[in-house]
Amino acid sequence: MHPERYRLLRQGLPGEGPVLYWMSRDQRTRDNWALLFAQERALQTKAPLQVVFCLVPEFLQANRRHYAFMLQGLREVERALAAKAIPFQLLPGEPAEVLPRYMQQIRAGCLVADFDPLQIKRLWKSRVAEGIEVPFYEVDAHNIVPCWAASPKQEYGAYTLRPKIQRRLFEFLEDFPPLKKHPGHYLEGTGGTDWAAALKPLPQAGELLPAATRPGEKAAAQVLGRFIETGLAAYDHSRNDPLQDGQSRLSPYLHFGQISAQRVAWEVQRAAGPVDSKKAFLEELIVRRELSDNFCFYNPRYDRVEGFPDWAKKTLDQHRKDPRDYLYRFDQWERGATHDDLWNAAQQEMVRTGKMHGYLRMYWAKKILEWTAAPEEALETAIALNDRYELDGRDPNGYAGIAWSLGGVHDRPWGERKVFGKIRYMSYNGCKGKFDVKAYISRHLA
Ligand code: FAD
Ligand code: FO1
């Protein structure tokens, strides 16, 4: 395994007990560098291997639709691990409380976690590290070029990160070794997780999604296969049209780690198809996505106006007093009850389906800035709606996407105008020039 794929979070005296993989961001058995690293260590020390998932009842405004999708995926993980004689343990509760105790119980010899730049995850890890004695590793199983290997600092934009990623891609973009059946293991009578009981303490509010988006590793692989078959060739020119089904629809699976971005990149670059479409897709999947992790990893204020670049904070301050043409309360935004039918249609698409087309997400966020009294309130509103309704929400891509839209992160200053200052503006007429707005509205506005 590439030595830069993992790092030691905490020294410690390795014990003889099982190597424990604390699964969190990368919820899959195939193509999972954290799981492969844990198995490598277990085989070296002839130790058992176990996987644990700490299930918290609240996670960044997640509700029933997100937990249902995630738990379905985890059931599949449990079954796939059992086929490799690797026990899976669901641990309800806060990681700092339940994990050190569980590790005592099973006398774990070493802890392995997957990488996640979000503040909440870094807090979890630092608290767990205080409560254990054994070595604690972190493996970047989410990015192709590990976040810390791609760049040692926050990048200005795709144009500064791209060359750094391209320089090292050949080192890291490789096929995966298979996960082995773990020797010396038998799943003595573990009847598996009581998944119905696991659902009980979780949020019951919020309606479930239409069954169209099926969760889990198998479903994710099918979505990838279908995209390569039917969507990739036209990706370059259809991805910005919300009326065509031109995007891959992979983001919920990437968010929950039910598919590896490296697997997606590996299959796409080997697939037949026009080079410019493959290039355009890999730019989003690799550069844009890794840029989001870079932003959240090196900028702890990724979900605050303080996290915007100085030029953006300055220009927004200069226009704080500009009169807003409209002002909406949170419940009006949430219900899609503004004067703008395009905005309302996009909001309703998201509430109903758990997804909004990438092009409209920019317009959607920018209008919240335009028709809210202050940037802080706009940011809070956009994050709350994105994290409550988007299936792929609560993700570095979301914080970076919203910070790009409202605060010029990874963007540059544009022509000055009211409210926005030099933040890039998007207009209803601009959308009309891109796609058939009327058709989109009639399709999504109830
Ligand atoms: P495709 O176009 O098929 O792209 C494939 C993959 O590339 C995506 O799944 C994603 O992982 C990555 N990608 C594509 N575009 C971007 C981008 N602009 N930035 C980072 N990665 C990208 N993405 C999320 O995963 N979760 C979010 O909560 C989220 N919120 C956003 C909010 C705003 C305001 C904006 C402007 C963008 C947001 N994005 C978010 C990024 C992007 O819109 C989605 O990743 C994309 O629309 C998901 O659909 P897809 O998988 O079909 O995309
Ligand atoms: N990760 C966990 O380790 N435990 C959880 O209970 C958990 C709940 C959860 C709910 C919704 C959601 O979108 C993500 C959730 N995650 C959870 C985190 C997820 O696995 C990702 O790591 C991050 O959201 C993306 O960085």
Side-chain angles (χ1 to χ4, degrees), residues 84-312:
K84 300 279 181 182
I86 301 170
F88 171 89
Q89 178 70 39
L90 190 75
L91 273 188
E94 287 304 319
E97 273 138 52
V98 297
L99 193 52
R101 199 169 52 231
Y102 181 72
M103 288 174 65
Q104 289 278 2
Q105 228 178 300
I106 64 166
R107 302 155 60 78
C110 157
L111 181 63
V112 178
D114 45 43
F115 168 69
D116 191 326
L118 295 188
Q119 287 302 308
I120 182 169
K121 299 297 201 71
R122 304 175 79 165
L123 190 63
W124 285 1
K125 286 182 176 131
S126 60
R127 287 200 183 136
V128 164
E130 282 158 21
I132 61 174
E133 308 291 316
V134 295
F136 183 4
Y137 288 91
E138 182 178 55
V139 183
D140 188 343
H142 210 75
N143 294 301
I144 298 167
V145 181
C147 191
W148 46 72
S151 166
K153 65 179 179 57
Q154 179 179 340
E155 293 293 331
Y156 286 103
Y159 72 102
T160 59
L161 181 63
R162 188 177 304 111
K164 296 181 179 176
I165 287 201
Q166 277 166 345
R167 221 184 349 258
R168 304 204 65 183
L169 204 54
F170 72 95
E171 270 182 81
F172 294 96
L173 182 47
E174 53 183 330
D175 202 351
F176 289 89
L179 181 69
K180 298 183 180 68
K181 191 168 169 66
H182 207 71
H185 246 276
Y186 46 89
L187 297 185
E188 68 289 346
T190 47
T193 304
D194 177 349
W195 291 98
L199 268 170
K200 285 224 175 35
L202 301 179
Q204 308 302 325
E207 59 292 349
L208 290 171
L209 286 176
T213 319
R214 285 184 310 105
E217 282 191 69
K218 286 197 188 70
Q222 283 161 358
V223 169
L224 172 60
R226 196 174 55 240
F227 173 65
I228 288 178
E229 281 300 304
T230 60
L232 180 59
Y235 182 78
D236 195 24
H237 52 266
S238 70
R239 68 194 161 115
N240 276 339
D241 179 350
L243 285 155
Q244 303 190 40
D245 193 5
Q247 290 192 285
S248 68
R249 296 176 164 266
L250 283 169
S251 59
Y253 303 105
L254 289 163
H255 165 69
F256 285 102
Q258 295 173 358
I259 193 166
S260 150
Q262 185 165 329
R263 168 61 58 200
V264 176
W266 184 254
E267 299 302 338
V268 163
Q269 77 162 9
R270 293 178 338 141
V275 174
D276 51 358
S277 266
K278 287 164 65 168
K279 218 161 144 264
F281 179 78
L282 293 173
E283 164 71 10
E284 302 294 344
L285 176 81
I286 303 174
V287 178
R288 277 276 159 205
R289 208 179 43 83
E290 301 219 8
L291 184 63
S292 302
D293 265 34
N294 170 276
F295 174 56
C296 294
F297 188 51
Y298 292 114
N299 187 333
R301 293 185 298 255
Y302 53 76
D303 57 354
R304 309 251 295 279
V305 169
E306 291 82 12
F308 294 171
D310 291 343
W311 69 264

Side-chain angles (χ1 to χ4, degrees), residues 22-27 53-63 66-67 70-71 74 91 93 95 114-118 120-121 124 142 202 254-257 293 387 390-396 399:
W22 170 19
M23 177 182 278
S24 175
R25 191 180 195 194
D26 295 283
Q27 300 168 20
F53 186 89
C54 298
L55 181 63
V56 294
E58 265 152 50
F59 187 84
L60 302 177
Q61 313 205 35
N63 56 49
H66 310 113
Y67 278 103
M70 188 175 81
L71 260 63
L74 288 173
L91 273 188
D114 45 43
F115 168 69
D116 191 326
L118 295 188
I120 182 169
K121 299 297 201 71
W124 285 1
H142 210 75
L202 301 179
L254 289 163
H255 165 69
F256 285 102
D293 265 34
D387 282 2
E390 289 281 2
L391 194 50
D392 65 13
R394 301 154 308 285
D395 190 280
Y399 302 114

Side-chain angles (χ1 to χ4, degrees), residues 366-439:
K366 287 176 180 289
K367 292 302 148 188
I368 296 176
L369 173 66
E370 189 170 358
W371 299 321
T372 301
E376 290 73 13
E377 185 191 339
L379 186 60
E380 206 180 312
T381 301
I383 288 175
L385 294 174
N386 191 74
D387 282 2
R388 278 186 202 183
Y389 293 106
E390 289 281 2
L391 194 50
D392 65 13
R394 301 154 308 285
D395 190 280
N397 287 344
Y399 302 114
I402 290 169
W404 176 90
S405 305
L406 272 57
V409 168
H410 304 146
D411 202 358
R412 63 175 176 79
W414 289 72
E416 185 136 17
R417 60 176 300 127
K418 78 173 184 175
V419 179
F420 283 77
K422 299 189 184 110
I423 303 289
R424 181 198 299 246
Y425 184 70
M426 282 177 79
S427 70
Y428 193 101
N429 285 334
C431 290
K432 274 181 162 164
K434 284 267 179 187
F435 61 90
D436 182 343
V437 164
K438 284 281 156 264

Side-chain angles (χ1 to χ4, degrees), residues 290-398:
E290 301 219 8
L291 184 63
S292 302
D293 265 34
N294 170 276
F295 174 56
C296 294
F297 188 51
Y298 292 114
N299 187 333
R301 293 185 298 255
Y302 53 76
D303 57 354
R304 309 251 295 279
V305 169
E306 291 82 12
F308 294 171
D310 291 343
W311 69 264
K313 283 186 282 199
K314 190 158 153 271
T315 198
L316 285 168
D317 281 342
Q318 283 162 348
H319 292 269
R320 255 180 212 284
K321 298 230 179 343
D322 293 5
R324 271 63 175 163
D325 296 344
Y326 299 88
L327 280 176
Y328 294 110
R329 298 183 314 275
F330 186 80
D331 65 291
Q332 291 170 301
W333 289 117
E334 189 165 36
R335 278 184 292 111
T338 72
H339 71 287
D340 179 333
D341 52 8
L342 174 58
W343 193 93
N344 298 342
Q347 174 68 14
Q348 291 191 18
E349 177 191 15
M350 175 178 71
V351 169
R352 239 200 342 273
T353 68
K355 121 170 241 39
M356 185 191 297
H357 189 278
Y359 185 82
L360 274 170
R361 292 178 95 154
M362 300 185 281
Y363 178 80
W364 172 86
K366 287 176 180 289
K367 292 302 148 188
I368 296 176
L369 173 66
E370 189 170 358
W371 299 321
T372 301
E376 290 73 13
E377 185 191 339
L379 186 60
E380 206 180 312
T381 301
I383 288 175
L385 294 174
N386 191 74
D387 282 2
R388 278 186 202 183
Y389 293 106
E390 289 281 2
L391 194 50
D392 65 13
R394 301 154 308 285
D395 190 280
N397 287 344

